[in-house]
């Protein structure tokens, strides 16, 4: 097995590099993070070109979702690295048997990152930042479905980073499978649940821990909102001036805000091809017509009369996915439920922003993750029914809910489960790096972003120290009742029990 | 709250009342009651526990009754004391980039979880995870080890009598039952046992994308320096090997490394202290556990009788197949490639490997898979620092053995071959929770930069906003920008 042998040799060199301790040094980690910052700055144009080529992504989307976020994460990591590396003291009880106890993070070793094609830079570099900050040697396997972006990474990472400790392996399924045969200290995977299972099975052979960032059908619950021109200014006086300058001068109606956010969270998020994109809408029967009308108007405002002409919507990644989406609409009952859009251009891999109302729930469009610019609206008798609707399906990566009803808000938090839940907005939890980003159940296991990235690629080791001076004589055999009682009180700290 | 006056029936009564009341605020109360129930079962069943546990194989630090039950009681007490605090959502700061917003991390139960425990500390390793699972709000199925049958049936009875059977269940049995359980879909599995079975558990979990905690084992080394209080160190080593279920513990000292010069002093001290603890004839001592089963006995005898190993015994070596007893045995400088130095021993055989200088021990330790724990006895600060830097293990303890798992503030878990994930104390609660991110945004404060149509002005402002840098934002607003 020639290539297995070659790969094993490369990986063994990387493991040796790790064992020598270079990647553990804080100076190394900082230099790599700085190197990435320089790469982002100097190669910005190449990155945009590659994203345009692979996905037809507009500069603003690319910046907003990938380049801006990665730059921010790099700055955060550089500022916080020292604090993250220092570990923390553990609480010791009153009658402490240990003189000190602390939890110290250490790198895992050689880690493998699989990234996906929809945010090829973001989903490669965010985990890479965590892995490097935590002191590991890293192999990155970008998706072959976004080849221009994979090339940019493969060509530039060795130039800006330590090529002995950080490597990029390009290729398709065969390369991925080959990588999985080797032993890793951690595998980080972003992609589908189907492949997630294969990855975890392969990892089990080596007892390799995994973080799986998968997907799911992320619902957005839209409660009936006021249409009047009220906008609660609930920021304090000091910030008012800046805020008014920052945002639209005239407050926008809640309904309009909600619709804009929902639409950008679908059609403005890589044309719906995002794990945290809005998948479908839940709304009350009475409210649905208003919602649909407002959506039609807003789509025109955002994308013009002829959305195909605008450069503001990404393409479908490839023919395979295009046909998959086309098939979702083939079912006559589904087709009949289209209220807006529906046109497809196979040559240009373009699908128009499409809205459907109440397609059949058994149809594929409502049982599978859509991952495209088709937005079903499911109507309910009352909005509280959305809790049961959501709970009867697999746990999603995110739940979105637009409402002004505080008790409904509380119910959504406590009665549904998802990776994260966001009120009155969509997607934006991705850049809130004080919040862990990850799934639960079918939507994944593990989390990252901010310090959570560092933690995900670290082992938190418990370290205790004792003095050799003092000793508890009652620890040692031969045993008798006096020793036992003393032992109990020492172990149980706060109370003495008599039998 | 006077727990002792309550019966199991009382508790179930209270549980039903709260459940039917349906108040969300009662949720923590509900969990607390379940943990209380475990606690009470211990009080009420002391006599039975005593007889079962003392007839079973193990004796460890202190009489099993006290220390194993103490540990479980301690976990219950901690959970009861801290539960409402653990369940409170954690508020987190938000930055200018998501302004205006507020955020928190909410702990929610995962659902129905499976705890598979093992035979060496069957009571503790079953109930400790179960307490964590309950306090996190899950329903639990416990599969105790069939190799400790008395404890398994005892647990079965306790769970049935004292705990809420709609949410907490036991499945007794062996390989077939475990395999059947593993085919089901769980929201989390916590497995304590061997690395071999750990792989099987994880592979089964992978089919359902079930996250796992694996508490495995490994060869936990103890590195012994010469500049120490020898008597104290040796006593602690004995406490961490032969007085701890006679070596059948995942965090027990597996082997010792010391310098060539110091080895004979160490062996003499070990001999002396072993006699103090277990008497002249350890085979007659009541304070040593027997080997759990005849197959493990046979395994250990095979390890001991291997060529080039059996002639390195410097102390002990006696064995009694009828009683399943093996005396504390020390071996000196056995071959590195012998089975005794390659496999986890899990018995009362203690190899001592010697090196020229102690720093050489790092290579020996690092050539093996990462263990669950590593121990170092020294007074030299630099050696301590190097040890922490260069050795990787689940946990680490300087100048003692085992105790770091009793400190409730420290996580207990492995790395690499010794496992993944951790628990104990609040880490148990976290292990069985999903930490859900919750972000609240306002309708007000809508930044038009987010929405198409995309214009160059929006581009500049977006760049500034993402950086969260106020100056950059103002500049961008005013039309001044670097690009």
């Amino acid at each position: 097995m020639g290539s297995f042998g070659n790969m094993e040799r490369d990986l063994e060199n990387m493991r040796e590099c790790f064992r020598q301790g270079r990647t553990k040094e804080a100076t190394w980690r900082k230099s790599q993070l700085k190197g990435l910052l320089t790469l982002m700055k100097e190669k910005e144009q190449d990155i945009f070109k590659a994203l345009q080529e692979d996905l037809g992504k507009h500069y603003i989307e690319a910046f907003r979702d990938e380049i801006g976020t990665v730059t921010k994460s790099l700055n955060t990591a550089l500022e916080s690295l020292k604090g993250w590396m220092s570990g923390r003291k553990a609480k010791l009880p009153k009658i402490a048997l240990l003189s000190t106890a602390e939890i110290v993070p250490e790198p895992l070793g050689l880690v493998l990152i699989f990234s996906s094609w929809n945010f090829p830079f973001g989903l490669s570099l965010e985990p890479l930042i965590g892995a490097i900050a935590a002191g590991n040697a890293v192999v990155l396997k970008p998706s072959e479905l976004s080849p221009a972006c994979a090339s940019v990474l493969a060509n530039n990472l060795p130039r800006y980073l330590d090529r002995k400790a950080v490597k990029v392996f390009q290729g398709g399924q065969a390369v991925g499978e080959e990588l999985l045969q080797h032993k890793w200290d951690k595998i980080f995977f972003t992609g589908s649940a189907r492949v997630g299972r294969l990855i975890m099975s392969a990892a089990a052979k080596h007892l390799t821990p995994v973080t799986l960032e998968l997907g799911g059908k992320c619902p957005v619950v839209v409660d009936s909102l006021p249409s009047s021109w009220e906008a609660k200014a609930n920021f304090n006086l000091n910030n008012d001036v800046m805020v008014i300058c920052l945002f639209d001068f005239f407050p926008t109606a809640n309904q309009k805000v909600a619709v804009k956010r929902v639409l950008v969270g679908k059609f403005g998020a890589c044309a719906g091809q995002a794990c945290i994109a809005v998948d479908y809408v839940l709304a009350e029967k009475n409210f649905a017509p208003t919602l649909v009308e407002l959506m039609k108007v807003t789509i025109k405002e955002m994308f013009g009369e002829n959305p195909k002409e605008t450069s503001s919507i990404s393409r479908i990644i490839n023919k395979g996915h295009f046909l998959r989406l086309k098939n979702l609409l083939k079912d006559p009952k589904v087709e009949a439920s289209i209220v807006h859009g529906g046109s497809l251009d196979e040559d240009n891999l373009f699908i128009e922003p499409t809205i459907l109302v109440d397609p059949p729930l058994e149809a594929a469009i409502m049982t599978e993750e859509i991952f495209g610019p088709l937005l079903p609206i499911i109507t309910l008798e009352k909005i509280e029914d959305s809790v049961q609707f959501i709970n009867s399906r697999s746990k999603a990566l995110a739940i979105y809910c637009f409402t002004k009803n505080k008790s409904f808000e509380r119910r959504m938090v406590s009665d549904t489960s998802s990776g994260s839940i966001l009120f009155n907005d969509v997607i934006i939890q991705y850049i809130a790096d004080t919040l862990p980003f990850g799934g639960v159940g079918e939507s994944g296991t593990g989390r990252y972003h901010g310090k959570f990235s560092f933690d995900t690629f670290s082992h938190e080791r418990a370290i205790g120290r004792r003095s050799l001076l003092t000793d508890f004589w009652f620890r040692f055999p031969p045993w008798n009742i006096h020793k036992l009682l003393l032992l109990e009180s020492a172990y149980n700290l706060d109370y003495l029990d008599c039998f | 709250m006077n727990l002792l006056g309550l019966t199991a029936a009382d508790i179930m009564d209270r549980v039903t009342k709260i459940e039917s009341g349906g108040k969300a605020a009662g949720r923590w109360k509900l969990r607390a009651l379940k943990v209380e129930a475990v606690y009470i079962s211990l009080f009420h069943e002391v006599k039975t526990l005593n007889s079962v546990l003392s007839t079973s194989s193990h004796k460890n630090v202190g009489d099993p009754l006290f220390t194993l039950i103490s540990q479980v009681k301690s976990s219950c007490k901690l959970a009861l004391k801290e539960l409402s605090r653990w369940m409170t959502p954690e508020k987190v700061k938000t930055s200018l980039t998501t302004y205006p917003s507020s955020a928190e991390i909410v702990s929610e139960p995962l659902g129905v979880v499976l705890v598979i425990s093992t035979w060496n500390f069957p009571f503790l390793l079953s109930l400790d995870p179960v307490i964590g699972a309950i306090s996190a709000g899950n329903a639990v199925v416990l599969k105790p080890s069939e190799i400790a049958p008395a404890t398994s049936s005892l647990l079965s009875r306790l769970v049935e009598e004292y705990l809420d059977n709609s949410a907490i269940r036991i499945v007794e049995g062996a390989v077939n039952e475990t395999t059947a359980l593993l085919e089901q879909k769980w929201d989390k599995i916590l497995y304590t046992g061997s690395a071999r079975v750990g792989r099987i558990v994880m592979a089964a979990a992978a089919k359902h994308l079930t996250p796992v905690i694996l508490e495995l084992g490994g060869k936990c080394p103890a590195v012994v320096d010469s500049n120490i209080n020898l008597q104290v160190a040796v006593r602690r080593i004995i406490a961490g090997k032969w007085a701890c279920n006679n070596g059948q513990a995942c965090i027990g000292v597996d082997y010792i490394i010391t310098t060539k010069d110091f080895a004979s002093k160490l062996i003499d001290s070990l001999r002396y202290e072993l006699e103090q603890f277990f008497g002249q004839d350890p085979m007659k001592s009541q304070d040593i556990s027997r080997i759990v089963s005849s197959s493990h006995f046979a395994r250990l005898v095979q390890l001991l009788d291997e060529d080039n190993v059996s002639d390195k015994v410097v102390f002990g070596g006696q064995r009694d197949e009828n009683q399943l007893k093996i005396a504390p045995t020390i071996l000196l400088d056995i071959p590195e490639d012998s089975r005794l130095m390659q496999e986890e021993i899990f018995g009362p055989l203690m190899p001592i490997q010697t090196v020229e200088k102690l720093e050489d021990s790092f290579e020996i330790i690092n050539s093996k898979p990462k263990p669950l724990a590593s121990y170092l006895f020294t007074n030299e600060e630099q050696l301590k620092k190097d040890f922490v830097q260069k050795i990787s293990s689940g946990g680490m303890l300087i100048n003692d053995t085992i105790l770091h798992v009793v400190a409730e503030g420290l996580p207990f878990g492995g790395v690499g071959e010794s496992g993944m994930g951790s628990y104990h104390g609040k880490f148990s609660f976290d292990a069985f929770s999903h930490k859900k991110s919750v972000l609240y945004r306002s309708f007000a404060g809508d930044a038009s930069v987010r929405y198409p149509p995309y214009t160059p002005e929006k581009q500049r402002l977006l760049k500034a906003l993402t950086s969260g840098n106020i100056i950059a934002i103002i500049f961008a607003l005013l039309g001044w920008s670097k690009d």
Side-chain angles (χ1 to χ4, degrees):
Chain A
M1 283 223 248
S3 75
F4 183 90
N6 286 338
M7 195 186 269
E8 181 55 34
R9 208 188 42 229
D10 284 339
L11 296 181
E12 191 48 43
N13 289 339
M14 292 184 79
R15 286 188 200 111
E16 184 54 37
C17 177
F18 173 78
R19 276 193 288 265
Q20 285 166 2
R22 186 156 87 224
T23 62
K24 290 187 192 173
E25 303 285 326
T27 45
W28 182 86
R29 304 184 203 192
K30 278 213 160 98
S31 73
Q32 298 305 292
L33 295 172
K34 287 197 183 122
L36 267 175
L37 256 180
T38 315
L39 189 163
M40 298 302 290
K41 251 193 245 141
E42 289 180 6
K43 296 291 164 183
E44 196 178 278
Q45 288 312 311
D46 287 358
I47 294 176
F48 286 131
K49 267 213 300 258
L51 285 167
Q52 254 295 320
E53 195 178 314
D54 284 335
L55 289 154
K57 221 180 246 206
H58 188 278
Y59 174 101
I60 284 205
E61 253 195 69
F63 185 85
R64 184 194 69 202
D65 298 339
E66 298 200 64
I67 297 164
T69 52
V70 169
T71 309
K72 181 158 181 282
S73 296
L74 281 165
N75 287 320
T76 305
L78 279 163
E79 271 168 38
S80 320
L81 189 62
K82 186 151 172 246
W84 293 352
M85 284 175 70
S86 61
R88 59 193 196 273
K89 294 237 173 292
K91 219 180 69 156
L92 280 174
K94 290 186 211 133
I95 311 176
L97 294 173
L98 297 177
S99 43
T100 70
E102 45 178 2
I103 301 169
V104 174
E106 56 175 28
L108 291 166
L110 178 59
V111 305
L112 174 61
I113 298 175
F114 284 102
S115 69
S116 173
W117 49 261
N118 51 349
F119 298 89
F121 289 98
L123 297 176
S124 298
L125 298 177
E126 288 284 350
L128 183 63
I129 292 170
I132 289 178
N136 299 284
V138 192
V139 166
L140 171 63
K141 158 73 181 69
S143 170
E144 74 282 14
L145 295 186
S146 46
C149 297
S151 294
V152 169
L153 285 167
N155 293 334
N156 289 296
L157 283 178
R159 268 191 243 159
Y160 288 83
L161 300 183
D162 179 350
R163 62 181 64 204
K164 286 221 173 80
V166 180
K167 284 200 197 308
V168 179
F169 280 67
Q170 288 191 88
Q173 195 179 330
V175 173
E177 277 169 8
E178 209 183 315
L179 285 167
L180 285 174
Q181 286 176 40
H182 297 264
K183 175 171 160 58
W184 303 92
D185 297 297
K186 176 114 190 187
I187 299 179
F188 186 102
F189 170 78
T190 307
S192 72
R194 185 188 66 84
V195 181
R197 284 174 164 83
L198 297 172
I199 304 250
M200 191 170 166
S201 299
K205 298 198 184 79
H206 297 285
L207 290 173
T208 299
V210 300
T211 293
L212 304 173
E213 297 273 332
L214 311 176
K217 290 182 77 64
C218 301
V220 57
V221 177
V222 185
D223 197 1
S224 316
L225 298 162
S227 61
S228 59
W229 285 83
E230 66 158 290
K232 267 220 321 251
N234 39 7
F235 15 92
N236 58 41
L237 278 172
N238 300 337
N239 290 315
D240 260 348
V241 174
M242 178 186 76
V243 166
I244 291 175
C245 293
L246 207 50
F247 305 126
D248 294 340
F249 189 70
F250 291 107
T252 319
N254 291 168
Q255 268 180 14
K256 182 76 174 177
V257 169
V259 164
K260 280 168 84 171
R261 291 175 178 178
V262 169
L263 292 178
V264 86
K266 176 68 138 179
F267 308 116
C270 203
Q273 301 167 104
C275 50
I276 42 169
V278 169
D279 191 279
Y280 64 99
V281 175
L282 289 166
E284 268 179 15
K285 258 200 183 65
N286 302 332
F287 185 54
T290 319
L291 200 54
V292 172
E293 281 318 302
L294 202 45
M295 280 186 180
K296 287 183 182 173
V297 165
T298 315
I299 288 179
K300 265 206 195 75
E301 283 169 14
M302 287 187 177
F303 304 111
E305 284 291 336
N306 199 346
K308 202 155 65 160
E309 307 298 316
T310 177
S311 57
S312 300
I313 304 187
S314 304
R315 280 199 310 268
I316 307 305
I317 181 69
N318 63 15
K319 209 142 240 167
H321 277 275
F322 184 91
L323 292 171
R324 177 184 64 80
L325 289 163
K326 189 168 164 191
N327 275 334
L328 290 181
L329 297 177
K330 257 214 182 99
D331 181 336
K333 288 211 188 90
V334 173
E335 212 183 348
S337 68
I338 298 179
V339 297
H340 180 89
S343 69
L344 305 127
D345 179 347
E346 192 162 333
D347 295 327
N348 291 310
L349 295 177
F350 178 82
I351 297 181
E352 195 191 345
T354 301
I355 306 177
L356 310 91
V357 175
D358 283 327
L361 295 178
E362 332 73 67
I365 200 173
M366 278 312 292
T367 58
E368 294 167 14
E369 187 175 358
I370 296 172
F371 231 67
L374 316 174
L375 183 63
I377 301 178
I378 307 295
T379 62
L380 307 161
E381 284 302 325
K382 44 188 199 353
I383 201 66
E384 286 80 11
D385 294 342
S386 47
V387 170
Q388 203 210 21
F389 190 93
I390 292 172
N391 285 343
S392 62
R393 288 162 172 73
S394 304
K395 297 180 187 178
L397 193 48
I399 293 178
Y400 304 112
C401 181
F402 287 83
T403 183
K404 295 201 91 114
N405 183 338
K406 288 292 173 200
S407 75
F408 181 55
E409 215 177 68
R410 278 193 293 274
R411 224 190 126 199
M412 285 295 290
V413 175
S414 63
D415 291 357
T416 66
S417 180
S418 56
S420 50
I421 181 165
L422 177 43
F423 289 97
N424 305 330
D425 209 333
V426 300
I427 310 256
I428 208 169
Q429 77 273 29
Y430 187 81
I431 55 173
D433 61 13
T434 49
L435 285 173
F437 182 77
V440 64
E442 281 288 307
S443 52
T445 170
R447 59 212 193 149
Y448 70 131
H449 282 187
K451 180 169 191 289
F452 304 105
S453 292
F454 177 88
D455 292 342
T456 231
F457 287 101
S458 302
H459 166 56
E460 294 210 301
R461 183 158 36 139
I463 302 185
R465 289 163 218 271
R466 273 206 74 191
S467 141
L468 281 167
L469 294 173
T470 62
D471 216 344
F472 294 92
W473 55 275
F474 43 86
R475 259 178 93 181
F476 310 110
W479 310 122
N480 59 48
I481 191 74
H482 303 291
K483 286 191 181 179
L484 301 176
L485 287 172
L486 283 166
L487 253 178
E488 236 230 331
S489 62
Y491 275 22
N492 285 293
L493 335 160
D494 288 348
Y495 74 102
L496 275 165
D497 239 317
C498 301
F499 280 83
Chain B
M1 203 188 307
N2 180 9
L3 296 172
L4 291 176
L6 291 171
T7 63
D10 289 334
I11 298 205
M12 285 310 113
D13 242 344
R14 289 163 73 185
V15 166
T16 337
K17 279 209 191 82
I18 293 188
E19 273 197 275
S20 54
K23 282 199 302 191
R27 237 169 262 226
W28 87 258
K29 208 77 180 65
L30 195 60
R31 299 185 195 178
L33 284 174
K34 292 183 180 174
V35 178
E36 270 175 35
V38 176
Y39 191 67
I40 291 192
S41 73
L42 299 174
F43 273 106
H44 285 209
E45 297 287 335
V46 157
K47 283 215 188 77
T48 329
L49 286 169
N50 191 16
S51 67
V52 169
L53 293 174
S54 38
T55 56
S56 71
S57 77
H58 48 256
K59 300 200 189 280
N60 64 345
V61 188
D63 195 280
L65 169 64
F66 283 95
T67 47
L68 296 182
I69 301 179
S70 301
Q71 297 258 95
V72 179
K73 268 164 58 183
S74 179
S75 298
C76 283
K77 269 227 136 188
L78 181 70
L80 288 169
K81 182 166 154 232
E82 301 287 331
L83 192 57
S84 60
R85 197 170 61 82
W86 291 348
M87 286 174 68
T88 314
E90 180 195 335
K91 292 238 173 288
V92 296
K93 274 197 333 210
T94 54
S95 72
L96 207 59
T97 323
T98 52
Y99 181 86
S101 61
S102 69
E104 57 186 9
I105 302 174
V106 167
S107 298
E108 53 180 36
L110 291 165
V112 183
V113 306
L114 174 64
V115 174
I116 302 177
S117 81
T118 184
W119 52 262
N120 56 348
F121 297 93
F123 202 70
L124 176 63
L125 296 177
S126 298
L127 289 183
D128 219 353
V130 165
I131 292 167
I134 296 176
S135 58
N138 301 281
V140 192
V141 169
L142 169 63
K143 160 71 186 68
S145 170
E146 71 279 11
I147 305 182
T151 315
S152 180
S153 345
L154 173 62
L155 281 168
S156 204
R157 188 173 67 72
L158 290 180
V159 164
E160 209 180 283
E161 243 178 71
Y162 288 88
L163 302 184
D164 171 7
N165 279 272
S166 67
I168 305 164
R169 279 278 170 80
I170 278 202
V171 173
E172 289 189 85
V175 174
N176 289 337
E177 283 75 9
T178 311
T179 311
L181 283 170
L182 287 174
E183 280 166 12
Q184 306 298 315
K185 175 173 160 63
W186 303 95
D187 296 298
K188 186 122 189 181
I189 300 177
L190 187 148
Y191 167 77
T192 308
S194 72
R196 186 188 65 86
V197 179
R199 285 171 163 80
I200 298 174
V201 172
M202 189 172 168
K207 297 202 181 77
H208 298 288
L209 288 173
T210 298
V212 298
I213 295 181
L214 304 175
E215 296 273 332
L216 310 174
K219 291 182 78 63
C220 304
V223 177
V224 184
D225 199 355
S226 48
N227 62 355
I228 51 169
N229 180 332
L230 188 55
Q231 186 183 52
V232 171
V234 161
R235 285 180 170 176
R236 292 175 182 180
I237 291 174
I238 297 177
K241 176 84 165 185
W242 296 286
C244 186
N245 213 10
N246 209 12
Q248 299 167 107
C250 49
I251 39 164
V253 177
D254 189 279
Y255 64 104
I256 292 176
I257 305 181
T258 190
T259 51
K260 281 189 165 52
D261 297 331
F262 194 59
S264 51
K265 263 182 117 183
L266 180 58
I267 293 173
D268 286 336
S269 183
L270 277 165
R271 269 208 201 101
Y272 179 77
E273 296 297 336
L274 278 168
E275 197 178 302
Q276 297 302 306
F277 290 0
F278 302 116
Q280 283 246 334
D281 185 4
M283 297 293 270
K284 292 211 182 77
S285 166
Q286 291 299 316
D287 295 324
I288 285 200
S289 307
R290 62 174 167 79
I291 306 305
V292 71
S293 68
S294 41
S295 57
H296 276 276
F297 183 91
R299 177 183 65 83
L300 287 164
V301 164
Q302 255 189 12
L303 292 178
L304 191 51
D305 291 344
E306 200 183 339
D307 285 339
N308 294 327
V309 168
S310 51
D311 54 343
K312 308 280 195 310
V313 175
V314 295
F315 180 82
Q318 307 99 298
R319 61 207 72 171
D320 179 342
E321 194 166 342
N322 294 330
Q323 288 190 64
L324 289 181
K325 269 200 162 177
I326 298 181
T329 302
I330 303 175
L331 306 95
L332 184 57
D333 279 329
I334 58 176
E336 261 304 308
D337 57 2
S338 61
R339 279 183 65 194
L340 204 51
M341 277 311 287
Q342 291 295 313
E343 298 170 17
E344 186 175 359
I345 298 172
F346 231 68
L349 316 175
M350 178 80 98
I352 298 182
Q353 304 295 81
T354 60
V355 289
E356 285 301 331
K357 46 187 202 337
L358 276 183
E359 286 75 14
D360 298 340
S361 64
F362 296 173
E363 207 185 295
I364 299 179
I365 300 173
N366 285 337
S367 71
K368 300 185 193 318
K370 298 177 187 179
L372 192 49
S374 52
Y375 304 109
L376 170 66
F377 288 86
T378 186
N379 274 321
E380 205 198 299
E381 287 308 315
Q382 188 55 41
L383 189 61
K384 288 181 194 173
K385 281 207 187 84
D386 288 342
F387 196 70
V388 172
Q389 262 287 318
K390 301 213 167 85
I391 304 290
S392 178
S393 56
M396 187 176 268
L397 185 44
I398 312 277
N399 291 335
D400 209 328
T401 59
I402 310 264
L403 284 188
H404 60 295
V405 305
V406 174
E408 81 203 23
L410 287 176
F412 174 63
V415 63
E417 284 285 310
S418 52
M420 56 181 80
S422 60
Y423 71 121
H424 278 189
K426 178 166 192 287
F427 300 98
S428 292
F429 176 85
D430 293 340
F432 287 102
S433 299
H434 167 54
K435 301 287 179 179
K436 180 163 70 173
S437 298
V438 184
L439 184 60
Y440 300 91
R441 288 262 300 171
S442 151
F443 286 93
D446 206 21
S448 66
V449 292
R450 284 173 70 185
Y451 309 111
Y454 299 132
T455 65
E457 293 77 32
K458 286 190 183 178
Q459 262 169 228
R460 277 196 295 274
L461 192 49
L462 184 65
K463 228 178 172 165
L465 265 174
T466 315
S467 73
N469 180 334
I470 290 215
I471 309 285
I473 295 174
I474 296 178
F475 275 25
L477 279 168
L478 296 173
W480 302 344
S481 154
K482 288 194 201 136
D483 28 58

